[in-house]
Amino acid sequence: MTGPLRTLFVLLLLALPPWRPALAQETVDLAAPFTAEDLSIQDRRFLQVALAFEGTFDAPVTPDWTPGAEAAMHGFVRTAYGAAPSALHMAALAQDLTDRIARDGWTWRHLDTLGLSLLFPAKTADPAPPEGAFTVWDHGGSSLRYRFATLSRVEAQALHRDTVALQAEGGTAIRTRDASLAVTRITGADGTLRHVRSDYIDGAWSTVVLSAEASDRALLGAVAASIAPGLAAPLAVTRGGRLDRTRTAAAPLLATLDRLPQDAPTPNEATLPHPLPPRAASTGSGFYVSAEGHVLTNAHVTDDCTTIRVDGLPARLLAEATDSDLALLLSDGLAPAVATFSEAPARLNSDVTALGYPLSHILGGMNVTRGAVSASTGLSGDRATMQITAPVQPGNSGGPLIGADGSVVGVVVAKLDALSIADQLRDIPQNVNFAVRAEVAARFLAAQGISPRHAAPHAALPPEDLAQRAAAFTAFVECDPR
């Protein structure tokens, strides 16, 4: 390697460093009245799901904090704590759902054959024998049962009609009907609850049947509230957002306090323990490459980790290749969707989109950037990587690089250190970033016994559809450093 080239090589940031946020210093007022005004969309949805699991919220989960959600929050806190909602109650509610996710693996799962998403207990779901056209799953920790099928109009109509006929004498079936949606909810003569939903998607009726005993009414209600066409964002708290900071500040108190006595006053700031700062963690990105929860990321994202989490669930490192900076993880949760690799290498100047979770402590969620393939090789003509113009930041490491047709063409891995180059050459490089080529990543997966899905190049997708599809299989990776 020549002298100038060696100097340039040293000045490159060859791997995007994991994002390591500074320790929080702010004081959180846990006695402050609850408000959803400055919560992120992701956190509003998280709290709605938490309220649904508590049995006080019985409406579709939405990005907005509706009057129904506000009423459910007040009703829950009044019943459980005998008080008006505060930041502390919000933290307790979020922690209850966090614990439930850790125990059962609750995640928003996309049913590819139906085109629907719904909450699914990935860790405690047990497959059951099919029932006619229906795929059947049982929740191992309750009486909740899932049934999925794609039906004709006649079949869907018969199912809803037969469900209404099961309604217990003296009760009233709840029914919703329009041109593209049919919902029926009944309580059977034996007390069993049944919720049937059919959505008209791509010429057929995508149908979900939920059933449970009366004691599991809240579980059934939570899953029913989560059903929606298309893809759903991960069930997680926004990293570094107000809900996350409040939950962290409340953790020492929640560890020793279950529910406030009915007549106890809400603690004021003077009586609350000083919040402990959260331990710094590194974060990166990845994407699902199998339905069983295998996740591809960069080796430097998982380097020197004591524990690894993918979308909030525990994961373990299965293999890594330091030469190509790739690592394979296995998450405890099933994949919400699986990436498809392009059969053809990305061409020079072709459009690409990078997805990931950069600067998660600041940005707090999924980030999408667009660019092009600016060179078919990487640094010094490296044929395992390619140069791209899509902007990337620390934390993008390991995220998918998507072609215009929605298939994976690379794995984001590196960026040029613009400040160092500017200091040496008195010029600022623009959008010089790198990705491991998809064919290299596919060979790495094949060596680990994973057969990545492939697709021939096809028509370009609208940018909005491409982002929605790819976001479903893009994962947030966390590493607790040694």
Side-chain angles (χ1 to χ4, degrees), residues 70-449:
E70 185 72 10
M73 184 70 174
H74 280 263
F76 166 70
V77 174
R78 183 171 58 252
T79 300
Y81 298 99
S86 68
L88 176 61
H89 298 122
M90 176 182 73
L93 183 65
Q95 188 58 51
D96 284 348
L97 178 53
T98 300
D99 293 342
R100 191 185 295 270
I101 292 171
R103 182 178 67 250
D104 290 346
W106 289 100
T107 184
W108 243 297
R109 181 174 180 179
H110 183 252
L111 306 176
D112 291 336
T113 57
L114 272 66
L116 295 172
S117 295
L118 80 175
L119 286 173
F120 191 80
K123 293 173 66 173
T124 53
D126 297 318
E131 296 179 6
F134 285 88
T135 300
V136 184
W137 289 82
D138 288 327
H139 176 221
S142 74
S143 62
L144 179 64
R145 167 165 282 198
Y146 294 75
R147 298 175 179 87
F148 312 135
T150 301
L151 305 178
S152 68
R153 179 176 181 176
V154 172
E155 291 170 330
Q157 287 176 332
L159 175 63
H160 285 268
R161 183 175 60 249
D162 293 344
T163 300
V164 172
L166 296 175
Q167 172 63 49
E169 185 176 353
T172 303
I174 300 174
R175 305 177 66 183
T176 299
R177 301 287 189 272
D178 64 31
S180 60
L181 175 67
V183 178
T184 302
R185 182 180 293 193
I186 61 100
T187 301
D190 60 352
T192 299
L193 309 175
R194 189 176 294 259
H195 180 97
V196 183
R197 172 170 174 149
S198 299
D199 289 75
Y200 188 70
I201 299 175
D202 294 334
W205 289 89
S206 298
T207 301
V208 177
V209 179
L210 305 173
S211 61
E213 296 175 1
S215 58
D216 292 316
R217 178 183 297 273
L219 267 179
L220 183 147
V223 176
S226 72
I227 303 174
L231 302 172
L235 179 62
V237 171
T238 300
R239 304 292 169 177
R242 184 164 71 88
L243 181 55
D244 190 28
R245 299 194 306 272
T246 304
R247 185 180 57 177
T248 299
L253 182 62
L254 295 178
T256 58
L257 180 65
D258 184 14
R259 294 288 171 88
L260 300 179
Q262 187 72 11
D263 299 324
T266 302
N268 57 45
E269 188 173 16
T271 65
L272 296 175
H274 185 71
L276 297 176
R279 182 171 180 265
S282 61
T283 66
S285 305
F287 56 100
Y288 291 95
V289 293
S290 83
E292 291 75 26
H294 291 93
V295 173
L296 184 64
T297 186
N298 286 151
H300 73 263
V301 170
T302 58
D303 183 44
D304 201 30
C305 297
T306 56
T307 58
I308 302 171
R309 293 178 298 280
V310 172
D311 288 337
L313 295 177
R316 63 183 185 274
L317 177 65
L318 297 184
E320 61 181 357
T322 55
D323 56 340
S324 56
D325 200 353
L326 294 173
L328 180 65
L329 309 177
L330 179 60
S331 169
D332 280 359
L334 298 177
V338 178
T340 298
F341 284 66
S342 174
E343 285 187 346
R347 299 178 62 187
L348 190 64
N349 204 35
S350 60
D351 292 335
V352 290
T353 299
L355 293 93
Y357 291 84
L359 305 174
S360 62
H361 190 61
I362 298 174
L363 301 181
M366 171 77 67
N367 190 271
V368 179
T369 58
R370 299 169 62 187
V373 176
S374 52
S376 57
T377 59
L379 182 68
S380 302
D382 177 21
R383 295 185 179 277
T385 58
M386 57 184 171
Q387 184 179 323
I388 60 174
T389 63
V392 295
Q393 313 296 337
N396 268 119
S397 291
L401 185 72
I402 308 299
D405 63 354
S407 59
V408 173
V409 296
V411 183
V412 175
V413 69
K415 67 177 293 184
L416 197 66
D417 189 335
L419 294 181
S420 294
I421 293 294
D423 184 58
Q424 294 291 323
L425 304 181
R426 300 298 186 265
D427 192 17
I428 299 177
Q430 301 291 319
N431 293 337
V432 182
N433 306 309
F434 300 94
V436 178
R437 302 184 70 89
E439 53 267 34
V440 175
R443 287 197 297 269
F444 168 73
L445 292 175
Q448 313 310 320

